[in-house]
Amino acid sequence: MLAPMEQREVVKRVIGILTEAREMQRLLEADLEREDLDTGAGAVTALLNETMPHIAIPDDFSVEEVVTVVGREVGGAVEQLVSAFTLAFTMLAQVHDSGQTDVSSADVLQDLALRVEGGGPDEDEDPLL
């Protein structure tokens, strides 16, 4: 069984996925006929594969028992992923809603990545990290 990923690692991976998606959007806007872009699904699939637990279900389990086990085992991983995406979204939304035109989404994601990597003074302020 794989060890659960640290929340900081999950946040960094989410930042990478969002940064990749932003870059793909930028490239598509520059050339709508592009066909050489990777959709980024590989990064999402890899993250899911690394965060979701492997669950062994005994053959004699009832449907209710399977649902209970899967819910219990997968719930924590889903919560971890949702928390990471929520953190990134919230930071992006705060900058957008504040009307700051001198800060790009790339700047916000880079700042979040630096905060996550450094675990600096803001570490206790955000329970999602």
Side-chain angles (χ1 to χ4, degrees):
M1 183 169 163
L2 295 174
M5 288 181 77
E6 293 289 328
Q7 186 64 18
R8 290 182 186 281
E9 181 61 28
V10 174
V11 172
K12 288 191 285 187
R13 299 281 294 278
V14 165
I15 292 166
I17 290 168
L18 294 174
T19 301
E20 237 179 86
R22 185 185 162 282
E23 180 62 14
M24 284 190 313
Q25 179 64 32
R26 187 188 68 73
L27 291 171
L28 282 172
E29 287 173 357
D31 180 5
L32 293 176
E33 301 299 317
R34 285 189 80 123
E35 296 180 13
D36 63 333
L37 294 178
D38 180 13
T39 63
V44 173
T45 300
L47 180 58
L48 287 172
N49 286 336
E50 292 177 32
T51 55
M52 292 296 146
H54 296 276
I55 305 168
I57 306 289
D59 293 336
D60 62 341
F61 266 31
S62 68
V63 172
E64 292 81 14
E65 290 171 316
V66 170
V67 169
T68 299
V69 169
V70 170
R72 182 181 62 234
E73 296 296 321
V74 174
V78 170
E79 184 178 325
Q80 190 177 37
L81 289 169
V82 170
S83 293
F85 276 103
T86 300
L87 174 63
F89 172 81
T90 301
M91 291 189 71
L92 290 163
Q94 285 175 344
V95 170
H96 175 271
D97 292 350
S98 72
Q100 296 180 41
T101 57
D102 60 331
V103 179
S104 70
S105 59
D107 295 334
V108 175
L109 292 173
Q110 182 178 30
D111 179 61
L112 178 56
L114 291 171
R115 287 180 53 201
V116 169
E117 187 65 35
D122 296 332
E123 184 174 340
D124 293 334
E125 292 178 22
D126 200 329
L128 298 175
L129 294 181

